Amino acid sequence: LLVYSANDAASAIAEHIGGSTDKFVEMMNSFAAELGCTGTHFTNPHGLQDENHYTTAYDLYLIFNACIQNDTFKEIISMSSYTMSIGDAAGNTHSLEVLPTNYYSLGKTEAPEGIKVFGGKTGTTDQAGCCVILYSEDMEAHPYISVIMGAEDKAFLYQEMNRLLEAEKALSE
């Protein structure tokens, strides 16, 4: 789910962890409130459009900052691919390689010189546009969480993210 966006996987994880999707969404909203999120309300585990499902860039920062405290989370978002084994009803096992949706991890976009992008998470809907949140560091190992929301397309999303990363680097110099 973190490497390659999969709404069905989000729903399955929600049901497994929460016992039901609704219970898991309650857990999500409680955790967001504990982190200090004031502009976020979840209605589903996958982020698909719902008028009562919303967040802010700052709240995403708070949530992502809590996530990167976990080394396993950082390891997963840094992956350039993941190969999973899937069992079918007949008992056969198949391998499936999934590639990240984040263009930096995928190698489709290069970070500005002096910036190392470890990874992040993307999200795209017609209403929200193209969105990405990243964890990166400059050459002095200063960490950054960067958020771009509402881009009209992926090209513009990553163009703007590189501009933001350049600005962050300039602030640390």
Side-chain angles (χ1 to χ4, degrees), residues 30-146:
S30 293
F31 185 65
E34 287 175 27
L35 294 175
C37 299
T38 59
T40 294
H41 182 263
F42 298 113
T43 61
N44 61 61
H46 42 65
L48 291 179
Q49 182 62 32
D50 181 305
E51 66 183 42
N52 294 313
H53 187 101
Y54 52 85
T55 193
T56 65
Y58 182 69
D59 285 358
L60 286 177
Y61 159 80
L62 292 173
I63 294 165
F64 199 75
N65 189 50
C67 291
I68 63 169
Q69 304 311 308
N70 181 296
D71 289 336
T72 302
F73 178 86
K74 286 194 296 192
E75 179 184 329
I76 293 169
I77 66 168
S78 298
M79 291 180 172
S80 58
S81 69
Y82 180 75
T83 303
M84 65 177 104
S85 295
I86 302 171
D88 64 22
N92 301 310
T93 302
H94 309 277
S95 293
L96 175 67
E97 181 182 33
V98 293
L99 301 174
T101 54
N102 164 6
Y103 278 15
Y104 295 101
S105 297
L106 197 53
K108 286 188 170 185
T109 298
E110 192 172 313
E113 187 175 331
I115 300 288
K116 179 179 181 185
V117 174
F118 287 90
K121 186 66 188 94
T122 61
T124 303
T125 66
D126 290 342
Q127 294 83 357
C130 297
C131 307
V132 66
I133 186 166
L134 297 176
Y135 175 69
S136 62
E137 290 182 357
D138 63 18
M139 295 302 284
E140 288 78 39
H142 297 119
Y144 295 95
I145 295 173
S146 309

